[in-house]
Amino acid sequence: MSNTERTFIMIKPDGVARGLIAEIIRRFEQRGFKLVAMKLMRAGEDLLQSHYGELADKPFFPKLVKFIGSGPVVPMVWEGKDVVKQGRAMLGQTNPLQSAPGTIRGDFGVDIGRNVVHGSDSLETAEREIALWFDKSELNDWDLPLKGAIYE
Ligand code: IDP
Ligand code: MG
């Protein structure tokens, strides 16, 4: 487990529309994770079909791609110890109704198709998603000044 593990977190159009950008960033910052990349963008269909490629057979796939492309999203890369797994825990379950209060989806969501935020489900997925959404030059290598207060 390395302190430089990275995950891909994305605020979906519903999260942006509901004014939750700052709230979601705040949670990752305050937890002690380091922001490596972030942008606001409208995702095209090719990118989204590739991003959600493994769900292409699901009945909800066309609706999913259409919705995520319906407005701006905030893709981000966060770095830190065990951040892939911890990021998923901070998001909650896919269905917000099954998400514990205290998680992002459990605090802000109701419907599975409006679950506010995306997070990579494994280290492999994270690497694939980061490469898909960001150019290498957009990933910032910088030192977290407080790291001695976050890591032993
Ligand atoms: P995840 O986002 O928790 O990793 P996935 O199974 O990867 O969940 O599904 C991707 C996204 O597709 C979900 O976040 C959700 O927005 C949507 N989705 C998943 N299952 C359903 C469903 O049964 N109906 C409608 N939308 C769904
Ligand atoms: Mg997923």
Side-chain angles (χ1 to χ4, degrees):
M1 203 182 290
S2 95
N3 294 354
T4 56
E5 180 174 310
R6 289 176 173 181
T7 194
F8 176 75
I9 301 290
M10 179 173 69
I11 306 171
K12 296 181 176 182
D14 47 330
V16 173
R18 292 177 55 197
L20 294 172
I21 297 173
E23 168 67 28
I24 290 163
I25 293 171
R26 182 187 66 74
R27 290 180 179 221
F28 281 85
E29 269 190 319
Q30 290 189 348
R31 182 77 190 273
F33 293 127
K34 185 176 86 175
L35 184 61
V36 168
M38 175 172 75
K39 55 192 170 188
L40 177 79
M41 61 179 277
R42 183 87 170 246
E45 206 173 309
D46 287 354
L47 173 59
L48 292 174
Q49 291 202 347
S50 170
H51 173 75
Y52 283 121
E54 64 185 24
L55 300 173
D57 296 342
K58 305 279 186 196
F60 59 81
F61 182 75
K63 242 174 50 181
L64 174 64
V65 167
K66 189 169 171 218
F67 177 66
I68 304 296
S70 70
V73 293
V74 180
M76 298 177 279
V77 177
W78 287 90
E79 182 181 290
K81 191 175 189 173
D82 214 10
V83 70
V84 174
K85 193 170 126 207
Q86 294 305 323
R88 291 287 286 192
M90 290 165 71
L91 260 55
Q93 301 297 308
T94 303
N95 187 343
L97 291 181
Q98 286 157 9
S99 300
T103 63
I104 294 167
R105 289 165 172 171
D107 284 348
F108 303 115
V110 178
D111 228 358
I112 194 166
R114 298 288 185 273
N115 62 6
V116 181
V117 66
H118 165 87
S120 309
D121 62 10
S122 71
L123 202 49
E124 259 177 23
T125 310
E127 279 170 12
R128 185 182 73 79
E129 292 175 346
I130 290 167
L132 186 63
W133 288 83
F134 289 98
D135 188 83
K136 267 207 176 83
S137 64
E138 294 176 293
L139 305 175
N140 295 275
D141 276 316
W142 63 290
D143 217 26
L144 201 61
L146 291 174
K147 74 178 173 200
I150 293 164
Y151 295 106
E152 65 175 5

